[in-house]
Amino acid sequence: MAQMLALVLIVLILYIGDVVAAKTKAWVPSIFVCAVLFLAGYWTFFPQDIVEIAGIPPVVATALMYLLIVNMGTLLSLQELKQQWRTILIAIGGILGVVVFLLSFGTLIFGFQSMVVAIPPLVGGLVSSLIMSEGAADAGLASLSVFAIVIYVMQGFAGYPLTSIMLKKEGKQLLGKMRSGELKAAETPAQTTMKEDEGAKLFRNLPEQYNTSYFIFFRLAVAGFLAYQVSAWLEPIVSVSPMVLCLVFGVIGRSVGFLEKQALQKANGFGFAMLGLMLYILDGLRNATPTMMLDIVYLLIGSILLAVIGMYIFSFIVGKLFKVSKTMAYAISLTAFYGFPADYVITNEVINSLTKDPEEREVLTSHMLPPMLVGGFVTVTIVSVVLAGLFVNLL
């Protein structure tokens, strides 16, 4: 197959996924549509190395992943996290519920290795899924390598409807309080953080013509290299995934002014980096034969079911401790199944479905959107990557 034909086909699949997600208002996630189409392609006429033919070999995808995780770290706003400390603890509590239920009941039913592979993708996104998929492949566990990707693809189908139900219940309660005069709009953390300087403080006096996209890429690459080097230095003592350290160096780089917030977006490289990483993730499905998919279907359903139950129980307990309603606490925990931008989209869609009054929408937005965004950030961006870095060493 010609390189450009391969590129056209696989990028078309990504676009179709976006269209379907937009048409269904994210009830059918784009990653699911893309995965189904990739499987159909691999089972029919796609060459097994179509992604590599198109120009995204594993070494390129790995480099893009380093840049993307460093960029994730630059999103961390300490001010916002301080204001949402209850949200953070509830989100972590929900994840703890998943870990406890899968490592106990899940291990008894499906085995320890299967649960180790399942947990990070279940409570995370692309990065944690990729880390576990590669770890399973390196350990010679081909079916579990595919499972790490499939569970990431499917988890949204549990998360989206449950979140919508919880937020609608929470929104109706808030509207009742507002209409009785008990509740007013809250100041959102986003309003506070907008005042923060998002530029790289160390290079504030650098003339604009020298602060080019290449210079931003260079600084992201330096942070990624430091993460890799520190991981290598620590290896004789303790094994720490360089991906986890990329997140840490992203936060440090932003804090000391070496990196700006959303550096990759400012370098106009975020879209291409995500394209490359998405293709690399979907490329992992080439080993998923129809027989293998049938073999893991019970493992998939069982893992998600146990995760949903464990998350509900633990988020309810932590929410009770901090006087947060069980519906809001569960919705915050469920952000682990999808993260941003789905948490933003679902919350806004629920608010728009509950009221058309601008003032009521403002109240609902100020009380519901900040915890949902922070919950998604903490679970998908931080905790899941850390868990993947730890769990991959257990394979």
Side-chain angles (χ1 to χ4, degrees), residues 200 202-213 215 219:
L202 292 179
F203 306 102
R204 188 176 292 160
N205 298 323
L206 185 70
E208 191 62 32
Q209 65 264 34
Y210 299 125
N211 190 23
T212 66
S213 296
F215 186 52
R219 286 182 277 131

Side-chain angles (χ1 to χ4, degrees), residues 319-334:
K320 194 83 170 173
L321 290 174
F322 297 117
K323 298 180 179 179
V324 176
S325 69
K326 63 181 180 181
T327 51
M328 195 67 226
Y330 194 30
I332 289 167
S333 294
L334 285 166

Side-chain angles (χ1 to χ4, degrees), residues 228-241 245 393:
Y228 168 79
Q229 197 60 56
V230 170
S231 175
W233 286 336
L234 291 174
E235 187 62 36
I237 305 167
V238 60
S239 181
V240 180
S241 170
L245 293 175
N393 297 312

Side-chain angles (χ1 to χ4, degrees), residues 151-200:
I151 200 167
Y152 162 71
V153 169
M154 296 299 296
Q155 63 189 1
F157 277 97
Y160 297 138
L162 281 174
T163 302
S164 183
I165 292 167
M166 294 300 112
L167 289 180
K168 282 179 180 176
K169 288 184 177 180
E170 179 70 14
K172 287 176 182 177
Q173 292 173 0
L174 292 174
L175 282 175
K177 290 181 180 180
M178 182 193 174
R179 289 164 182 169
S180 64
E182 295 179 47
L183 192 68
K184 294 181 180 179
E187 183 184 13
T188 65
Q191 292 170 334
T192 306
T193 54
M194 279 177 65
K195 301 172 187 175
E196 293 182 1
D197 180 11
E198 296 183 357

Side-chain angles (χ1 to χ4, degrees), residues 18-57:
D18 279 347
V19 170
V20 173
K23 284 284 187 183
T24 61
K25 295 183 178 180
W27 282 94
V28 180
S30 61
I31 184 69
F32 174 77
V33 177
C34 294
V36 170
L37 293 176
F38 258 81
L39 280 174
Y42 284 130
W43 294 349
T44 53
F45 68 96
F46 276 10
Q48 290 293 293
D49 56 349
I50 187 171
V51 173
E52 192 165 349
I53 291 172
I56 310 291

